[in-house]
Amino acid sequence: MKEYRDYLCSEIRLDDVGKEAKLAGWVDTIRDLGGVLFIDLRDEYGITQVVVRDNPELVEFATRIPIESTVSISGTIRKRDEETINEKIETGLVELKAEKIEILGKRTKMLPFEIAESKKTREDVRLKYRYLDLRNKKVLENIKFRAKIIQYLRNKMINLGFLEVQTPILTSSSPEGARDYLVPSRLNPGKFYALPQAPQQFKQLLMVAGVDKYFQIAPCFRDEDARADRSPGEFYQLDMEMSFATQEDVFEVMENVMYDTFKNFSDKEISAKPFPRITYKEAMLKYGTDKPDLRNPLIIEDVTDIFKNLDIKVFNGKIVRTITVKDVKSMPRTFFEDMTDFAIKDCKAKGLAWLRVMDDGSLQGPIAKLIPEKEKAEMLERTNTEKGDAIFFIAEHSGRVEELAGLIREEAGKRLGLIDENKFEFCWIVDFPLYEIKDNGELGFCHNPFSMPQGGIKALENQNKLDILAYQYDIVCNGIELSSGAVRNHDIEIMKKVFANLGYTEEDIKNKFGALYEAFQYGAPPHAGIAPGIDRMIMLLTGEDCIRDIIAFPMNSKAQDLMMNAPGDVTKEQLEEVHISIKNN
């Protein structure tokens, strides 16, 4: 017999009745029925009922065992009495009659929360005692589910002929869209490593090196703010790259991987392959976002031309977009008033105009009397609006109008119950602009500097910079961006021109992307890739609302590890070793 256990708490069955057994685990509950004690013993795999009776000393000893202590219990397997059968658990027909109990790890402090109720506890407390939170079966199941998905993805990529390669964690800082985490070098005073935002340059260098198809489960580090679907600091990607590949080659592989993964780990309906391709321009017009939730049937229409010559104050000089909602004649007026409140309070809009088409064809709403018959007829036809339908109007300037329309579309879909929660709707967003105007008013890269411009060097020399498109693509599911990818720029002359359009010199490229700049001069293959976020995939598959619930030891929304007290202070001696001094304010 093994020292602590020879059965797991999920294993004993009727066939084992009469056998001696030793179990080990946590004391989940103790029920004292007066001289007879029932202990639910729990491990990762399940629960076994232990009965302690006919031995007053052992009963007395067991009553003093604190809940959540770890114990090893030896005894005989027996069939449960009829009235104690529990068909909800695997071992519900049998129990272990205890003959010896050994406390292995005694709980000596009060629990900060009930283990079974940990998900109802404040998040800061859960994260401080995450090792206790993980004892909750529902919480631990997410982590076990995560492990199964990662194993499945790894096997899937290997079976597709991809080579798994680990790339460095300590690397150089480069401008890749977010803030770097910096690590000082002890051996090189004044120099710093950076934790990789992604293995972007390394995977491209593997293509130059002759690796045909690469992947890894890659840790990525970005110093950015947390969101419900973004973990601060550290996250994981299924990073992949292919040599001699086009955009369509990447799509074929990734649709295979995504479809099969979601099919294997969910019983929801999944988009048929090939997934829809939607241009960035079309997505921003029809959905108001480049992350559209296609479960929502509402579509945004542009009607600016219809109203441009009318003297309607709220529309004057603005882009006008509409959203038609079907068959809402039974909806009370408060629905439209509540949507207006949402637009003003939550979206910071100036207002939200709306119209309802009555059974007699007349219009009801704040701007109904301002629309002449001709424009009314054209508007109803353009927006496919019929009797019993209603229209929301969003009027704003470019950039803002897309954002507002997207938020109104999303909220209306939710309030009208139009979102089918039993579906995973995938799509590709393609043809992103190579450049965009940043918040500071300056021209910058729309996604990253490694994408191949459509039209090559001619487009860079002859087109308006904001009209140049890139072979850049995103895969989106249910309104969540799972990944960005691109056909990479492997031509040194095109690379120089791409950066020159933003004012970078060739020397700047050498300094910032020296390895790629050098490598591309030794014969680089055309290559393309993508890196879907594993954390977001698992969040979708588990149905969790917060990404932290599918990570074993997550940071909180302020990028703090409350359990390990990180980031924390270090000693003066540690700072001196890496040649750093802290300036006190």
Side-chain angles (χ1 to χ4, degrees):
M1 187 174 283
K2 295 181 180 179
E3 183 172 353
Y4 299 120
R5 63 183 181 184
D6 48 26
Y7 282 86
L8 301 175
C9 289
S10 61
E11 285 186 329
I12 62 173
R13 297 291 187 272
L14 284 175
D15 291 344
D16 300 309
V17 170
K19 295 180 182 177
E20 291 186 356
K22 182 181 286 189
L23 304 179
W26 282 260
V27 176
D28 193 73
T29 61
I30 297 179
R31 302 183 301 281
D32 189 346
L33 302 185
V36 179
L37 226 61
F38 289 96
I39 298 173
D40 282 342
L41 189 66
R42 181 193 79 238
D43 63 12
E44 179 188 335
Y45 310 99
I47 288 179
T48 293
Q49 177 173 281
V50 177
V51 60
V52 188
R53 66 193 314 167
D54 303 330
N55 184 334
E57 290 185 6
L58 193 60
V59 170
E60 176 65 21
F61 175 78
T63 59
R64 296 196 301 271
I65 301 174
I67 299 299
E68 292 301 316
S69 297
T70 58
V71 297
S72 177
I73 303 178
S74 304
T76 303
I77 300 170
R78 48 173 274 174
K79 186 177 179 180
R80 286 200 195 196
D81 294 335
E82 198 69 32
E83 64 272 14
T84 67
I85 288 175
N86 182 358
E87 295 182 353
K88 294 181 180 179
I89 61 175
E90 293 177 299
T91 60
L93 298 176
V94 292
E95 63 190 9
L96 183 72
K97 184 184 179 187
E99 294 162 6
K100 179 182 178 182
I101 301 176
E102 180 184 2
I103 297 177
L104 303 175
K106 187 175 183 178
R107 177 180 63 80
T108 58
K109 297 186 70 173
M110 288 289 293
L111 291 167
F113 47 74
E114 293 293 329
I115 299 300
E117 301 294 319
S118 72
K119 289 200 75 170
K120 298 178 182 179
T121 305
R122 285 200 334 263
E123 188 180 61
D124 59 334
V125 179
R126 288 180 65 194
L127 295 184
K128 180 175 176 61
Y129 299 97
R130 184 63 166 177
Y131 45 86
L132 295 179
D133 188 29
L134 286 170
R135 291 186 189 179
N136 182 317
K137 182 180 178 181
K138 292 181 180 178
V139 180
L140 183 59
E141 283 301 317
N142 280 348
I143 306 307
K144 294 166 72 173
F145 187 70
R146 178 190 182 98
K148 291 176 183 177
I149 289 177
I150 290 175
Q151 182 180 23
Y152 180 86
L153 290 171
R154 176 172 276 115
N155 291 336
K156 183 76 175 174
M157 297 304 290
I158 292 170
N159 290 336
L160 288 171
F162 284 77
L163 180 68
E164 185 172 10
V165 183
Q166 284 73 46
T167 54
I169 297 298
L170 293 176
T171 184
S172 59
S173 177
S174 65
E176 294 186 25
R179 295 182 188 89
D180 285 325
Y181 280 103
L182 301 177
V183 180
S185 171
R186 176 180 61 83
L187 297 177
N188 301 277
K191 302 290 185 180
F192 290 81
Y193 302 102
L195 304 182
Q197 294 184 30
Q200 183 65 53
Q201 294 188 66
F202 288 109
K203 68 179 183 177
Q204 291 192 247
L205 290 167
L206 285 171
M207 300 299 101
V208 180
V211 173
D212 191 57
K213 294 190 290 188
Y214 139 92
F215 90 98
Q216 71 170 313
I217 308 298
C220 303
F221 305 90
R222 297 178 188 176
D223 186 3
E224 54 191 1
D225 295 336
R227 298 192 308 235
D229 67 345
R230 183 170 71 191
S231 178
E234 178 182 350
F235 60 94
Y236 286 80
Q237 294 178 341
L238 173 60
D239 201 48
M240 61 157 279
E241 198 79 10
M242 304 165 65
S243 286
F244 305 106
T246 65
Q247 179 171 288
E248 286 300 319
D249 293 323
V250 174
F251 287 4
E252 182 180 355
V253 169
M254 193 45 53
E255 287 182 0
N256 183 335
V257 172
M258 286 292 177
Y259 183 88
D260 288 357
T261 301
F262 277 71
K263 193 73 173 176
N264 271 279
F265 290 96
S266 172
D267 56 4
K268 293 184 179 182
E269 183 181 340
I270 303 168
S271 306
K273 297 181 290 183
F275 300 156
R277 273 76 159 158
I278 303 171
T279 67
Y280 172 81
K281 185 176 181 180
E282 180 187 2
M284 296 305 293
L285 172 61
K286 292 174 66 174
Y287 308 108
T289 176
D290 58 2
K291 298 180 282 293
D293 187 345
L294 298 187
R295 298 173 301 170
N296 185 345
L298 300 180
I299 299 295
I300 301 165
E301 295 282 353
D302 186 89
V303 294
T304 307
D305 59 313
I306 296 176
F307 293 98
K308 65 181 179 181
N309 296 321
L310 298 183
D311 187 20
I312 300 177
K313 186 176 179 181
V314 293
F315 294 168
N316 288 345
K318 296 177 181 175
I319 297 170
V320 184
R321 301 275 163 84
T322 63
I323 301 171
T324 294
V325 292
K326 308 297 286 183
D327 193 23
V328 289
K329 61 184 178 182
S330 63
M331 297 297 287
R333 188 183 180 94
T334 52
F335 166 72
F336 300 97
E337 293 170 348
D338 290 344
M339 284 297 300
T340 302
D341 286 343
F342 168 78
I344 294 171
K345 294 177 182 178
D346 294 75
C347 305
K348 311 302 179 188
K350 297 181 179 68
L352 180 65
W354 57 271
L355 291 173
R356 181 151 49 173
V357 184
M358 309 308 289
D359 287 341
D360 62 1
S362 64
L363 299 181
Q364 180 193 75
I367 61 171
K369 296 179 180 179
L370 303 176
I371 304 176
E373 284 299 317
K374 178 187 175 184
E375 282 75 11
K376 169 188 167 182
E378 188 175 354
M379 174 191 70
L380 295 179
E381 181 179 358
R382 173 94 52 93
T383 60
N384 188 30
T385 305
E386 302 168 326
K387 294 176 182 178
D389 300 344
I391 308 175
F392 290 110
F393 294 83
I394 301 94
E396 259 295 353
H397 299 292
S398 179
R400 178 64 171 149
V401 72
E402 290 86 357
E403 178 188 16
L404 279 177
L407 292 171
I408 298 300
R409 171 184 176 268
E410 181 182 357
E411 187 67 16
K414 289 178 181 177
R415 294 192 182 203
L416 291 168
L418 301 177
I419 312 299
D420 189 343
E421 298 293 343
N422 292 312
K423 284 186 176 181
F424 286 120
E425 289 282 1
F426 286 89
C427 66
W428 291 101
I429 307 300
V430 299
D431 296 345
F432 279 87
L434 181 63
Y435 303 112
E436 67 178 1
I437 301 297
K438 298 295 186 181
D439 292 339
N440 60 9
E442 297 181 0
L443 191 69
F445 289 108
C446 181
H447 264 288
N448 66 55
F450 305 104
S451 304
M452 178 67 81
Q454 297 184 22
I457 200 78
K458 289 183 179 179
L460 294 168
E461 291 176 343
N462 301 321
Q463 286 184 233
N464 181 305
K465 293 183 180 65
L466 292 176
D467 293 334
I468 300 171
L469 301 179
Y471 287 110
Q472 176 82 43
Y473 38 83
D474 285 0
I475 189 167
V476 175
C477 180
N478 292 3
I480 293 178
E481 177 197 321
L482 292 182
S483 178
S484 289
V487 175
R488 314 303 179 186
N489 184 352
H490 70 284
D491 186 305
I492 195 67
E493 294 304 317
I494 295 177
M495 177 183 277
K496 287 192 288 187
K497 185 61 179 175
V498 164
F499 281 94
N501 280 345
L502 295 183
Y504 291 96
T505 66
E506 187 171 356
E507 197 62 32
D508 292 330
I509 302 173
K510 290 180 184 177
N511 291 335
K512 294 179 181 296
F513 310 106
L516 281 179
Y517 176 84
E518 183 74 14
F520 284 171
Q521 298 178 67
Y522 292 94
H527 54 283
I530 195 168
I534 290 174
D535 306 295
R536 289 183 181 178
M537 289 172 60
I538 297 169
M539 190 176 90
L540 279 170
L541 285 164
T542 57
E544 293 286 359
D545 295 325
C546 180
I547 204 165
R548 292 187 286 279
D549 280 330
I550 54 88
I551 298 170
F553 297 106
M555 293 186 180
N556 68 5
S557 59
K558 296 181 180 179
Q560 297 170 316
D561 182 341
L562 300 179
M563 183 180 67
M564 301 298 290
N565 195 29
D569 297 323
V570 295
T571 65
K572 181 180 178 181
E573 290 74 22
Q574 286 175 293
L575 291 173
E576 288 175 348
E577 279 189 329
V578 292
H579 321 286
I580 287 179
S581 62
I582 295 178
K583 184 178 180 180
N584 294 318
N585 293 328

